[in-house]
Amino acid sequence: MSTTAGTPDPIQPIDPLAALRAPADPEHDVYLTGTVFLDIIFTGLDHAPVRGTESWARGMGSSPGGIANMATALARLGLHTTLAAAFGTDVYGDYCWESLALGEGVDLTHSRRVPGWHSPVTVSMAYEGERTMVTHEHPAPPPAAQGAPPRSRACVTAFEPGRQEEWVRRAHAQGAKIFADVGWDESGRWDPAALPDLPYAHAFLPNAAEAQRYTRTDSPERAVRALAELVPIAVVTRGAEGAVAIDSLTGERAEVPGLSVDALDPTGAGDVFVAGFMTGTLAGWPLVDRLAFANLTAALSVQHFGGSLAAPGWSEVAAWWSRARRSADRHADAAGLARRYAFLGDLIPDRVSDCPRLRALPTIGFRVHDSAQRS
């Protein structure tokens, strides 16, 4: 490709699995399925909404949410991602479909448009480092992929007590690595035996509160040791305090502290963490690097509002790494941080070419190409 004199040749976006790809590999790196929501996020609230009063938000954004958070995070890190989901034929459905297919390059071959079904909507209010959500949703029609899921290197799912997903078993039988987190157990039982798909998990990534309840332990460190007896890779996230993990396949144990950032909105940070950890795992990185990378991508995401469109790509990771290296010469703490993330130096070339990342916008009236021009 020719360039203007004096202009450097462009560099292709980073493919973290480039060295591993072979002709016989599955077409997709990651398959996932679930419900796509239109998320409307209010930020800059001084306090939680008070009954009978009107609250004013200093910021607002709209973006695809739900399973779109994970799909976008994976695609922005260079993984070939395919999503099976139902989309309404309303304007909200148009926006979410275009954002994922055109804006992020997510494969929607296994998704479908459903006439007469309106898109689910979630309103999220971020304040004091937390969020409150209100959701309206009619039951989602089943996605197009009702039989065996397409072949992929990995799949993502969320375990629910008492619920078994046939597609998880089939994907596992096809050789896909299953990465899973878990939601809050409303029954209060917190029994691992109530998670029927747990035996298929390659990696299980609950947060500390969930992990400690499922293992009847009193610390994330004890919880991850107990979970490592149940799954090949156990990860316990600790929010702003970092994460701990054990990879029983390699015998590695790792712990990384959190990163100090100015958090705007935590929506989707857990999904971004899982996407970062999956990327490193599929690429074959050491456990401590996988954990640190997941921590970094989640930290970068909370600095923007919205779930899916807050996810970082390699250009954001490269920009952070460049700042970290420059600061390392002036501050001892920054020098330690640069050493911890030194593995990024082997992954990121001096120049990274990447398209400007779409961010959550106050309106969905702009189409994808309009939004890209405004970013």
Side-chain angles (χ1 to χ4, degrees), residues 141-163:
Q146 288 299 291
R151 287 186 62 236
S152 61
R153 297 175 189 267
C155 299
V156 187
T157 189
F159 292 152
E160 287 187 17
R163 187 187 74 180

Side-chain angles (χ1 to χ4, degrees), residues 98-239:
E98 291 177 11
S99 293
L100 291 167
L102 303 181
E104 307 300 337
V106 174
D107 175 74
L108 298 182
T109 302
H110 305 283
S111 295
R112 65 189 180 111
R113 307 299 299 272
V114 182
W117 179 69
H118 70 70
S119 300
V121 176
T122 292
V123 175
S124 176
M125 293 159 280
Y127 53 86
E128 299 174 356
E130 295 294 338
R131 58 179 176 156
T132 297
M133 296 183 292
V134 178
T135 294
H136 176 69
E137 174 192 10
H138 291 289
Q146 288 299 291
R151 287 186 62 236
S152 61
R153 297 175 189 267
C155 299
V156 187
T157 189
F159 292 152
E160 287 187 17
R163 187 187 74 180
Q164 186 164 26
E165 296 282 8
E166 178 63 19
W167 73 264
V168 171
R169 183 188 65 80
R170 294 188 178 192
H172 179 268
Q174 292 175 169
K177 294 178 170 64
I178 308 299
F179 291 73
D181 61 8
V182 68
W184 193 259
D185 186 354
E186 299 292 348
S187 72
R189 292 175 56 199
W190 299 102
D191 181 5
L195 304 177
D197 290 329
L198 187 61
Y200 303 119
H202 180 73
F204 185 40
L205 302 95
N207 65 35
E210 296 156 351
Q212 288 171 219
R213 283 171 171 80
Y214 271 114
T215 58
R216 308 296 194 271
T217 55
D218 58 3
S219 72
E221 294 75 19
R222 291 188 176 91
V224 78
R225 288 197 294 270
L227 290 175
E229 298 179 3
L230 303 176
V231 293
I233 303 174
V235 181
V236 175
T237 60
R238 303 180 299 186

Side-chain angles (χ1 to χ4, degrees), residues 235-270:
V235 181
V236 175
T237 60
R238 303 180 299 186
E241 296 180 3
V244 293
I246 294 176
D247 186 335
S248 300
L249 298 173
T250 63
E252 297 170 280
R253 296 173 179 248
E255 177 177 357
V256 296
L259 292 171
S260 178
V261 297
D262 293 326
L264 177 64
D265 178 14
T267 304

Side-chain angles (χ1 to χ4, degrees), residues 25 58 74 89 107 121 201 213 222-223 233 247 300 311 371 373:
D25 286 347
R58 290 185 290 275
L74 290 163
T89 54
D107 175 74
V121 176
R213 283 171 171 80
R222 291 188 176 91
I233 303 174
D247 186 335
L300 293 176
S371 302
Q373 292 172 359

